[in-house]
Amino acid sequence: MTDKDQNGTRALRLGVAGPVGTGKSSVIATLCRHLRDEFDLGVITNDIYTDEDARFLKSEGVLPEDRIRAVETGACPHTAIRDDVTMNLMAVEDMERDFAPLDIVLVESGGDNLTATFSPALVDAQLFVLDVAGGGDVARKGGPGIARADLLIINKIDLGEYVDVDVAQMVADAEKARDGAPVLALSRKRPETIDRLCDWVRQLHARHARGDHTPVDPGPMAPHHHAHDDGHGQGHHHHGHDHAHHHD
């Protein structure tokens, strides 16, 4: 049984997924920087063979270093957030126990493709992060993460003019793909967009604390083919998508 805080409610577990390079680590850093005075926070990062995202967040100084922990999954990122969440669940529960009572634990997926989703057994809600540099048509491609995550973030909107992306159209396409579910256009250089993100997390935490939030499963990954053996003893996990390991 997971440790619970003084109100009888365990920490809100919030997943952050999305393709490589869209800014997942940056989104988490932004949330930590702006919410750490209101909430007790912890972060779990996922990478296949490194702890690079955790080291990035520690270097940013957004939380005490011992509140940022890395899980090295050794397999496709979606495996550890969807198929077998044991490693992540243990990391989250250890974090909650060590720093009880925590309010929010952020769980960052390793960069995966457009279909990656968290299991509701691991997180209570999930963000899916796209960015304008990935192309204005990405939001139209849909998939479980884009269509059914609790919140879709269109990140780096300040770059739209430099990469010939119509941000308003991209947001409209995303809203259509999500049947009106929330889409948030974000830039860490535009404070009003950060305020909206933080307000969304505050409202989610309030619902969770009241017991009014029910985790919704976005659905499994779409069927996909992996092109080659990863060569690291995970022969049944073949990689057709890019698993570069720079931080976001």
Side-chain angles (χ1 to χ4, degrees), residues 22 130-138 141 156 163 165 170:
T22 54
L130 299 177
D131 73 302
V132 298
D137 63 335
V138 174
K141 296 180 179 179
K156 309 178 190 176
V163 293
V165 169
M170 188 173 180

Side-chain angles (χ1 to χ4, degrees), residues 1-169:
M1 192 72 180
T2 303
D3 289 336
K4 297 185 178 183
D5 67 19
Q6 65 269 34
N7 298 315
T9 303
R10 64 159 173 75
L12 169 69
R13 299 167 181 175
L14 180 58
V16 181
V20 170
T22 54
K24 298 183 295 297
S25 298
S26 176
V27 167
I28 288 174
T30 296
L31 283 170
C32 290
R33 199 174 281 118
H34 288 83
L35 294 176
R36 63 192 175 193
D37 293 334
E38 298 176 47
F39 299 105
D40 283 317
L41 305 173
V43 176
I44 305 294
T45 67
N46 278 233
D47 276 305
I48 301 181
Y49 305 118
T50 75
D51 62 352
E52 190 165 339
D53 287 336
R55 285 187 282 114
F56 165 72
L57 289 168
K58 290 176 181 179
S59 73
E60 290 287 289
V62 295
L63 289 178
E65 289 193 4
D66 54 359
R67 289 179 178 242
I68 301 169
R69 297 179 180 175
V71 171
E72 295 181 28
T73 62
C76 292
H78 63 80
T79 301
I81 67 168
R82 176 93 204 169
D83 302 335
D84 181 358
V85 301
T86 306
M87 293 171 65
N88 271 303
L89 199 57
M90 289 174 63
V92 170
E93 291 179 346
D94 285 349
M95 176 81 74
E96 291 181 352
R97 183 184 63 248
D98 292 348
F99 296 101
L102 283 177
D103 297 308
I104 302 172
V105 178
L106 296 152
V107 183
E108 178 183 359
S109 170
D112 209 305
N113 60 23
L114 292 174
T115 69
T117 57
F118 286 86
S119 166
L122 176 59
V123 300
D124 301 298
Q126 48 197 292
L127 311 179
F128 199 85
V129 184
L130 299 177
D131 73 302
V132 298
D137 63 335
V138 174
R140 294 198 297 270
K141 296 180 179 179
I146 290 175
R148 295 189 291 277
D150 295 86
L151 177 67
L152 178 66
I153 294 175
I154 307 294
N155 199 19
K156 309 178 190 176
I157 58 171
D158 53 292
L159 300 180
E161 62 181 301
Y162 303 107
V163 293
D164 296 324
V165 169
D166 182 334
V167 173
Q169 184 62 53

